Amino acid sequence: MSQAPSPSTDRSSGLEIVLQWAQLPPEHLEIALKAIEPELAREHEWRMEQARLRVQDDKDRRLHALYLGGLVAGFLLAAGMLTGAVFVGVRGAPWLAALLSGPSLISLAGLFLLRRVDSGHTRESGRAHRVALSAMAAQQPAPADPATNSGVA
């Protein structure tokens, strides 16, 4: 009865097989290699497919992390802009609140969430900013004359 080789004797059994093949004529080796060649080709193809799938999986993981990072950044940016708009609106700067909560908010959220920018949105955001800035200039009172204001109460 023959027993399966133990892991420690794998190397010596491989050497024994090589020595046995060395005793046979080359024709036998050629026949054995022709018989095993299709299996080796299938094994190589399987390993290459496994490597390709591993690379694709890594790429998908990186894209997913990038997409989730964009969602989080977009949410935080939008929440920060809305919070800032409320804060400056309560403090008496409605033009700045309009800038923070207007089309620029939609534009930035679209940039982070949709990963694209429409030229129409960009033009609309620029127009809204110009309107808000012109309204700001009209609302601001004229600066006091420094000659009349000594700064002493």
Side-chain angles (χ1 to χ4, degrees), residues 4 11 16 20 29-30 34 52 63 67 77 105-106 109 114 117-118 132 137 143:
R11 186 173 293 156
E16 290 173 13
Q20 289 173 1
L29 180 59
E30 185 178 341
K34 283 184 182 178
R52 187 190 66 78
L63 286 175
Y67 183 72
L77 185 66
L105 173 67
I106 295 169
L114 301 176
V117 177
D118 293 336

Side-chain angles (χ1 to χ4, degrees), residues 10-145:
D10 283 344
R11 186 173 293 156
S12 62
S13 66
L15 182 60
E16 290 173 13
I17 292 172
V18 169
L19 291 175
Q20 289 173 1
W21 275 107
Q23 296 171 357
L24 294 176
E27 295 84 26
H28 289 265
L29 180 59
E30 185 178 341
I31 292 169
L33 287 176
K34 283 184 182 178
I36 201 170
E37 185 176 352
E39 184 176 337
L40 291 175
R42 284 191 301 269
E43 190 176 313
H44 174 71
E45 186 177 323
W46 180 78
R47 285 184 180 142
M48 293 301 289
E49 183 65 17
Q50 291 296 321
R52 187 190 66 78
L53 290 174
R54 210 171 18 256
V55 167
Q56 182 66 34
D57 189 42
D58 290 344
K59 180 182 175 186
D60 289 345
R61 286 176 194 261
R62 284 190 306 270
L63 286 175
H64 182 69
L66 179 66
Y67 183 72
L68 279 180
L71 285 177
V72 169
F75 174 77
L76 292 176
L77 185 66
M81 287 178 73
L82 286 174
T83 303
V86 169
F87 183 74
V88 298
V90 169
R91 299 277 180 163
W95 54 272
L96 186 56
L99 283 176
L100 288 172
S101 65
S104 61
L105 173 67
I106 295 169
S107 216
L108 284 173
L111 175 67
F112 278 98
L113 301 176
L114 301 176
R115 302 243 183 251
R116 63 184 171 93
V117 177
D118 293 336
S119 60
H121 286 198
T122 305
R123 281 193 298 271
E124 194 63 32
S125 177
R127 187 185 63 74
H129 285 161
R130 282 190 298 278
V131 168
L133 288 175
S134 65
M136 175 195 67
Q139 283 183 353
Q140 281 187 339
D145 186 17

